[in-house]
Amino acid sequence: MLIVLEGTDGTGKSTQCRLLGEWFESTGREVVLSREPTDGPWGRRLRESAATGRLSPEEELDCFLEDRREHVGQLIRPALDAGKVVILDRYYFSTMAYQGSRGLDPAAIRRRNEAFAPLPDHLILLDLPIDDALRRIGARGDTANEFEQREALTKCREIFLSLRDEPFATVIDSRGSVEEVQQAIRAAVAKPGREEGAA
Ligand code: TYD
């Protein structure tokens, strides 16, 4: 089973991924937790460029695709084939949202990814108003840089929410407590996913 948590920065993805993994383990399932960008060479390059901001949108897209190709081949597919629960903190929906917010076409990004990356059984979209998200990441949104960040995150949120009607997607309001959000995620993944529901 492939479960993906997505959302803008500040929505609490990493905490919720960890708690969800612990819960699956407590039910006796084998769990693999991972994240993108990865800690591999492409992922490291991307994290460095996030600090320096030097890559063009196209270069960035190519790096995310290479990073994901490795991730799928080396970790995601083998773990799914072994029957494990794979929980991802970001996946190609982040590429649609973030590189989409830089002007690339989200639908084209999606097609390039789905040519090699397995679809999730459950996509959890953690949603937060941008003011709350900025507050959580320690920004007020009123310096020039933060204004740009607000614009970009607003666009990202729109692209994430455009996925709400996908059969595998659930939008969860992340303004609740960590426990409330975790309960909502568990309820969502307990429902039939993409394949189980397809019959
Ligand atoms: P993030 O999950 O915030 O990592 P960190 O552990 O460093 O907090 O991801 C880093 C940034 O990468 C985040 O701002 C979103 C961005 N990103 C993309 O632009 N495209 C992608 O495809 C992915 C996976 C992430």
Side-chain angles (χ1 to χ4, degrees), residues 71-84 86:
H71 199 202
V72 167
Q74 293 176 4
L75 187 140
I76 298 174
R77 277 202 198 278
L80 292 175
D81 289 346
K84 297 177 185 171
V86 178

Side-chain angles (χ1 to χ4, degrees), residues 51 63 84 86 108 117 123 139 165 188 191:
C63 279
K84 297 177 185 171
V86 178
L123 167 62
D165 294 327
K191 285 189 293 196

Side-chain angles (χ1 to χ4, degrees), residues 9 35-37 47 64 68 90-91 94-95 98-99:
D9 308 73
R35 63 168 186 172
E36 293 188 359
R47 280 175 202 282
F64 276 112
R68 188 160 302 122
R90 297 193 185 280
Y91 195 36
S94 276
T95 321
Y98 285 81
Q99 281 58 59

Side-chain angles (χ1 to χ4, degrees), residues 34-53:
S34 194
R35 63 168 186 172
E36 293 188 359
T38 69
D39 296 318
W42 293 101
R44 280 203 303 277
R45 184 160 169 220
L46 279 159
R47 280 175 202 282
E48 282 162 21
S49 83
T52 54

